[in-house]
Amino acid sequence: MRVLFAVPPLAGHVNPTVAVGAELAARGHEVAWTGPASALADLLPARSRILPAGEGEDGREIGGAYAGLHERWRDLRGVGALRFLWEEALVPLARAMVPGVTRAVHAFEPDLLVADQQALAGPLVARRLGVPWATSASTSAELTRPFADFPRVGEWVSGQVGGLLAEFGDDGEGWDPRFSERLVLVFSTPELVGRDADFPAHFAFVGPAFGARPTLPGFPWQRLDPARKRVLVSLGTLNQEAGGRFYRSVLGAAERLADEAQLILAAPASLIGDPPRHLLLQERVPQLELLPHLDAVVCHGGHNTVCESLAHGLPLVVAPIRDDQPIVARQVVEAGAGVRVRFGRTRPEELRDALTAVLDDPGPRRGARRIQG
């Protein structure tokens, strides 16, 4: 079987497909990816087959510009962030990718196309060319009726989807490019999303996808302190520049917990200054390799980080910023697997208390382990 993955140029959306692709290849299937080629080359394993898709009208690849949008997006919140996501990112990316995805399908002749929910060009082309397609749901937020309490916002999003479909000659009646009617791969678990939710039978909850990641040499493993509890603090790859105030609270909490916990902070040194000796500062960390050595994780509610941490039975302190992160944070709290704090207004004392709660209270760890199974 030939499987083509259509993805946006973002690590959190590409990583799950890497693990699935590796498993398919191990079983003898042929796999390839389509999307902005230069960006995907840095996110996929060496020798992955990449079929370019995503050139603008000027012939330049949209991948770098798409990834670079976060400089304008990072300070937005709420509806403003949602409007920006659709109007400046998702819809322009879909327009730019459709011609390349069409060429990729003709060249690769896939038996199945798997499209990330932010790669709307994939379903558009698959439906037009009669190729079966599945959804890669790299966040569960879209599956939880996120606009149930904000119907006008939901109508606006539906209008964006409908407008995109109409632009490519589809009336959109009876289908939504965000949700395949054949298979939706959900990289989460019912225990986290909510067992009371009623999902269709073709929604497959597969948990986090642990695949190969780019090698990050030079992590100082010898500096991990076996005498103290170890906590990773990470805001992911797109939110670090917005974390100045939050990082100050992290440093304050680290000082107050110096005798009992070692914080491993993934952040640019330029935003931290001279860190205290008991704090381990790295701009990037080998997260999958590091998780088995930790006792807790502080993060922004990024879906992959949350699910990967819970898969290791680690309780969380979650400081959501925007988009799906408040929804994921709510899932963590409702599952009893962690504590939520305010990203923009958390003081060092509050963060210390939240960390103490997940490190010393057995409840959050039990909640995390229930999700871990």
Side-chain angles (χ1 to χ4, degrees):
M1 184 173 69
R2 293 184 171 209
V3 179
L4 178 65
F5 294 96
V7 291
L10 297 172
H13 297 260
V14 173
N15 285 342
T17 69
V18 172
V20 175
E23 181 64 24
L24 288 169
R27 298 186 183 195
H29 305 296
E30 190 173 350
V31 298
W33 282 261
T34 184
S38 61
L40 296 189
D42 294 331
L43 300 174
L44 292 169
R47 296 184 296 279
S48 296
R49 183 172 180 181
I50 301 173
L51 303 171
E55 291 182 347
E57 293 180 358
D58 58 2
R60 291 187 298 177
E61 190 180 83
I62 200 172
Y66 185 82
L69 287 174
H70 81 275
E71 293 185 7
R72 295 161 56 198
W73 156 82
R74 68 188 179 197
D75 295 324
L76 297 174
R77 301 290 186 273
V79 174
L82 181 71
R83 290 184 66 92
F84 186 89
L85 175 67
W86 278 95
E87 294 177 344
E88 303 292 332
L90 299 188
V91 171
L93 181 68
R95 290 190 187 114
M97 282 182 59
V98 162
V101 174
T102 301
R103 292 191 296 269
V105 169
H106 285 309
F108 190 63
E109 298 182 341
D111 300 291
L112 175 69
L113 187 146
V114 179
D116 180 86
Q117 285 185 310
Q118 288 197 4
L120 301 173
L124 277 168
V125 173
R127 183 175 171 90
R128 178 190 297 172
L129 299 181
V131 177
W133 63 281
T135 297
S136 173
S138 49
T139 175
S140 60
E142 288 274 13
L143 315 180
T144 60
R145 300 179 66 240
F147 309 120
D149 296 329
F150 308 96
R152 290 187 179 180
V153 177
E155 291 171 4
W156 182 86
V157 171
S158 296
Q160 293 294 302
V161 173
L164 178 65
L165 297 182
E167 186 177 330
F168 288 92
D170 194 310
D171 61 14
E173 186 174 349
W175 81 292
D176 187 324
R178 295 170 296 172
F179 308 101
S180 167
E181 296 177 350
R182 292 173 178 260
L183 174 64
V184 176
L185 293 173
V186 185
F187 295 98
S188 185
T189 64
E191 289 78 9
L192 180 59
V193 177
R195 279 204 170 273
D196 294 336
D198 185 19
F199 292 104
H202 67 285
F203 280 47
F205 287 81
V206 298
F210 295 105
R213 305 280 170 86
T215 302
L216 295 176
F219 183 80
W221 295 99
Q222 72 282 358
R223 288 190 56 193
L224 294 180
D225 187 349
R228 290 183 292 169
K229 295 178 179 178
R230 295 179 291 273
V231 179
L232 172 64
V233 182
S234 172
L235 297 181
T237 56
L238 295 180
N239 298 288
Q240 291 179 334
E241 297 295 331
R245 181 172 180 175
F246 187 76
Y247 290 142
R248 290 193 291 275
S249 293
V250 170
L251 296 177
E255 188 67 35
R256 290 162 173 78
L257 293 169
D259 291 338
E260 56 183 297
Q262 179 186 33
L263 271 59
I264 301 101
L265 175 57
S270 59
L271 295 179
I272 304 302
D274 187 19
R277 292 186 60 186
H278 58 270
L279 183 141
L280 177 51
L281 174 65
Q282 294 283 296
E283 184 162 351
R284 299 179 65 191
V285 300
Q287 183 165 296
L288 291 186
E289 292 85 355
L290 186 59
L291 287 173
H293 302 276
L294 301 177
D295 296 280
V297 172
V298 178
C299 71
H300 60 303
H303 192 263
N304 287 345
T305 296
V306 164
C307 291
E308 290 166 4
S309 300
L310 293 173
H312 286 82
L314 299 174
L316 292 142
V317 174
V318 190
I321 306 173
R322 65 177 72 79
D323 300 331
D324 65 324
Q325 296 155 19
I327 297 172
V328 175
R330 186 184 69 227
Q331 292 174 355
V332 170
V333 173
E334 290 179 351
V339 175
R340 176 175 177 168
V341 298
R342 302 168 298 176
F343 175 76
R345 291 179 289 172
T346 297
R347 299 190 304 272
E349 295 81 5
E350 291 178 279
L351 189 55
R352 175 204 59 196
D353 292 345
L355 278 168
T356 299
V358 299
L359 289 172
D360 296 345
D361 184 343
R365 184 168 294 277
R366 283 198 299 267
R369 287 176 174 169
R370 279 195 300 270
I371 296 172
Q372 179 190 35

